[in-house]
Amino acid sequence: YGSAGGYFITACTQNQKILFDKEPVQNIIEKWWRELGNKFPTIELDAFVIMPNHIHGIIFLKDISDIKVARPGDNIGVDVGVDLCVNPQKYNSRKNIKGRHIGPPEQGTVTGEQPTLGTIVQWYKTMVTNEYIRKVKSQNWEPFTKRLFQRNYYEHIIRNEDSLNRIRHYIMTNPDRWEKDIENPKNIYETGRVVSPKDYFLETYYQSIVEKD
């Protein structure tokens, strides 16, 4: 996806492993979510939640025809200041991140080209993974096998205001439903669901949230 509009995304850990349940890990996941606004100035961030083995978030791709194209020397880093909800009980609101983004803003945003949603999510997953690996080596964080995140992620277009509000509510109340969450490994095991890189059960489930009547 690269068209202007809102998108509901979900990114899960590999094999739904519980790795995001500790505050230091949540801090880096939150940090790199906020840094997306610096790396990609043509996006806006909305509701976001960190669950023990996955994240949900809303990303808006702006209409670049309404955006001033950056010139050398322009300060194009932005802090969108969205509210965050971090599982299980911690709620963070409008916290500033010290320092700047890693590397220059996405080249496409400087030349007037809109980065795709895939590019944005991949950069985010890479930054979180790289820092997590450093913490595994320096602070003995729990290691993972092959990759931190699943190869794929789930994305759905937000088509109207009702859908947006429904998804926001789902995201912000997600921690309250963890015991019954379909991403909870206990529930996956009990239902006998086979988790694959392209999990059609989850595709259908998240689509139902977006398009529910």
Side-chain angles (χ1 to χ4, degrees):
Y1 293 114
S3 301
Y7 299 88
F8 168 46
I9 66 162
T10 300
C12 305
T13 60
Q14 182 74 353
N15 299 321
Q16 270 75 17
K17 186 174 182 180
I18 302 295
L19 292 172
F20 298 166
D21 57 333
K22 296 178 175 60
E23 183 173 355
V25 180
Q26 294 170 354
N27 288 340
I28 70 167
I29 294 171
E30 175 188 339
K31 178 183 76 172
W32 288 112
W33 174 260
R34 288 185 175 278
E35 281 296 304
L36 282 170
N38 290 331
K39 181 67 176 179
F40 302 98
T42 60
I43 72 171
E44 289 184 358
L45 304 177
D46 203 278
F48 177 65
V49 67
I50 304 170
M51 299 298 288
N53 62 358
H54 64 281
I55 65 164
H56 294 300
I58 295 173
I59 296 176
F60 287 95
L61 304 186
K62 300 177 185 178
D63 184 346
I64 61 174
S65 63
D66 297 329
I67 299 173
K68 175 185 175 183
V69 177
R71 303 264 187 317
D74 286 352
N75 179 14
I76 60 176
V78 296
D79 178 4
V80 295
V82 297
D83 290 339
L84 304 180
C85 180
V86 180
N87 182 66
Q89 286 98 18
K90 178 183 171 188
Y91 183 82
N92 298 288
S93 175
R94 291 179 171 82
K95 295 196 303 184
N96 293 324
I97 298 174
K98 296 180 179 180
R100 302 296 294 163
H101 56 276
I102 302 300
E106 176 64 25
Q107 186 63 29
T109 64
V110 176
T111 61
E113 299 174 4
Q114 176 67 274
T116 66
L117 185 65
T119 297
I120 294 165
V121 175
Q122 184 57 48
W123 185 87
Y124 173 76
K125 289 163 65 176
T126 298
M127 294 300 104
V128 173
T129 298
N130 287 346
E131 184 160 357
Y132 192 101
I133 290 172
R134 291 194 293 270
K135 299 298 185 181
V136 170
K137 294 178 179 179
S138 65
Q139 299 183 22
N140 294 317
W141 282 17
E142 184 174 356
F144 57 87
T145 303
K146 292 186 178 179
R147 57 175 58 91
L148 179 61
F149 288 97
Q150 286 181 352
R151 186 188 305 274
N152 292 329
Y153 67 96
Y154 305 97
E155 78 283 302
H156 298 287
I157 300 172
I158 303 173
R159 301 188 183 278
N160 53 58
E161 191 75 19
D162 288 342
S163 180
L164 173 61
N165 290 332
R166 185 165 55 247
I167 295 166
R168 282 172 172 163
H169 180 266
Y170 175 83
I171 289 174
M172 304 310 288
T173 60
N174 207 209
D176 299 333
R177 296 187 302 274
W178 172 241
E179 287 303 313
K180 297 182 179 180
D181 198 300
I182 61 171
E183 302 282 13
N184 189 321
K186 174 177 66 70
N187 298 329
I188 294 174
Y189 175 78
E190 290 179 353
T191 59
R193 192 176 102 234
V194 177
V195 178
S196 64
K198 189 68 172 177
D199 194 326
Y200 292 102
F201 178 87
L202 286 182
E203 287 279 5
T204 302
Y205 175 77
Y206 290 128
Q207 190 69 28
S208 70
I209 296 171
V210 175
E211 299 181 352
K212 182 178 180 182
D213 293 332

